[in-house]
């Protein structure tokens, strides 16, 4: 079964530390719709979609959904972020996560600074919790922010974020180099990055294509050497959300 590490992946975060290009303007956001095929050890096990839409000149919607199954196991996930662009930074407003399928269902809702600009409201099946907000982003904004960093030449970035369990986490991103990929979409020149965690039990790699506005085209995760999942781009279109 493909677990949360890949298809619900969020090495996304907020307070971002960059090693390069601190004063270089970040790439503008272009709305798009990307579809991926999910694999495990090269077996087709499902589909993933990611869509960025513009809601207003400065506000955006980002959705990420996956539906995978293998034998009698199934996993369906959905993430939705509402965020704005303020002085070049991506600032979260609302984040929603749900998961259903084999095993227990989960839901989470995080509100950023609605009633108090310095707090987070985390709502789940376990109840409500208020946490201090120190600039963390939500679980998936990295998917949009990291392409902007790669476009201006950053090679290392650190993300502080609230994950899909409502926990604060920090991940690092390290650029490993360039790689040509053969995907269902076709051949693409890409930039390969590695997610740096405190624990070395899991390894996560992601590939981004400059040709497609530096967006995510492949994501692969291992746990103790066992592949947890691999998503590969199948189709990509830009959207006209002016």
């Amino acid at each position: 079964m493909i677990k949360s590490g890949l298809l619900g992946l969020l090495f996304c975060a907020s307070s971002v530390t960059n090693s390069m290009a601190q004063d270089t303007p970040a790439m503008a956001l272009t709305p798009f719709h990307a579809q991926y095929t999910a694999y495990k050890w090269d077996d087709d096990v499902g589909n993933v979609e990611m869509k960025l839409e513009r809601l207003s000149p400065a506000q955006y919607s980002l959705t990420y959904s996956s539906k995978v199954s293998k034998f009698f196991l199934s996993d369906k996930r959905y993430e939705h972020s509402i965020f704005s662009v303020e002085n070049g930074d991506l600032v979260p407003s609302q984040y929603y996560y749900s998961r259903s399928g084999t095993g227990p269902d989960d839901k989470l809702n995080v509100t950023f600074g609605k009633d108090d600009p310095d707090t987070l409201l985390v709502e789940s099946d376990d109840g409500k919790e208020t946490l201090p907000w120190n600039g963390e982003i939500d679980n998936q904004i990295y998917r949009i922010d990291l392409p902007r960093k790669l476009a201006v030449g950053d090679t290392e970035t650190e993300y502080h974020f609230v994950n899909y369990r409502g926990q604060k986490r920090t991940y690092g991103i390290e650029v490993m180099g360039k790689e040509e990929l053969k995907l269902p979409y076709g051949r693409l020149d890409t930039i390969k990055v590695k997610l740096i965690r405190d624990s070395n039990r899991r390894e996560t790699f992601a590939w981004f294509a400059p040709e497609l506005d530096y967006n995510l085209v492949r994501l692969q995760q291992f746990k103790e050497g066992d592949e947890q999942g691999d998503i590969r781009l199948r189709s990509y279109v830009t959207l006209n959300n002016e």
Side-chain angles (χ1 to χ4, degrees), residues 129-149:
E129 182 181 12
T130 299
L131 301 174
W133 183 21
N134 298 312
E136 293 85 4
I137 58 174
D138 71 33
N139 189 65
Q140 66 162 350
I141 289 180
Y142 103 90
R143 299 182 182 123
I144 300 302
D145 185 71
L146 184 52
R148 300 163 78 236
K149 300 295 188 295

Side-chain angles (χ1 to χ4, degrees), residues 18-206:
N18 302 314
S19 65
M20 297 175 59
Q22 297 254 3
D23 299 322
T24 304
M27 183 179 69
L29 295 180
T30 300
F32 68 90
H33 182 203
Q35 296 178 297
Y36 308 80
T37 300
Y39 299 89
K40 183 164 183 177
W41 299 123
D42 287 327
D43 288 337
D44 182 340
V45 295
N47 299 288
V48 176
E49 292 191 29
M50 182 162 57
K51 183 183 288 187
L52 176 67
E53 299 172 278
R54 183 181 288 113
L55 303 179
S56 70
Q59 189 176 56
Y60 292 82
S61 165
L62 175 64
T63 57
Y64 183 90
S65 61
S66 64
K67 186 176 182 180
V68 299
S69 62
K70 189 165 180 69
F71 303 121
F72 56 88
L73 301 175
S74 66
D75 188 286
K76 184 177 180 180
R77 296 170 188 265
Y78 177 76
E79 292 179 79
H80 186 196
S81 301
I82 302 294
F83 66 93
S84 59
V85 180
E86 299 179 12
N87 299 318
D89 295 326
L90 306 188
V91 181
S93 175
Q94 196 80 24
Y95 170 77
Y96 174 78
Y97 166 84
S98 67
R99 184 266 173 201
S100 61
T102 305
D105 294 349
D106 290 307
K107 289 184 179 180
L108 180 79
N109 191 78
V110 182
T111 304
F112 295 79
K114 181 179 180 181
D115 298 319
D116 183 336
D118 297 321
T119 64
L120 304 167
L121 176 61
V122 180
E123 301 174 86
S124 67
D125 293 336
D126 296 327
K128 298 182 180 181
E129 182 181 12
T130 299
L131 301 174
W133 183 21
N134 298 312
E136 293 85 4
I137 58 174
D138 71 33
N139 189 65
Q140 66 162 350
I141 289 180
Y142 103 90
R143 299 182 182 123
I144 300 302
D145 185 71
L146 184 52
R148 300 163 78 236
K149 300 295 188 295
L150 295 174
V152 297
D154 284 359
T155 58
E156 294 182 12
T157 296
E158 185 177 78
Y159 285 102
H160 307 279
F161 63 99
V162 180
N163 69 14
Y164 66 98
R165 293 190 176 99
Q167 304 164 331
K168 291 189 177 185
R169 291 289 183 265
T170 298
Y171 290 155
I173 303 295
E174 177 185 346
V175 174
M176 301 188 69
K178 297 180 179 179
E179 184 175 334
E180 183 184 43
L181 291 184
K182 183 179 180 181
L183 303 165
Y185 177 87
R187 289 188 179 274
L188 287 170
D189 292 325
T190 69
I191 299 173
K192 182 179 181 180
V193 306
K194 181 179 181 180
L195 166 63
I196 309 299
R197 292 185 172 91
D198 291 335
S199 169
N200 58 9
R201 295 176 63 231
R202 290 180 179 173
E203 285 190 310
T204 302
F205 302 94

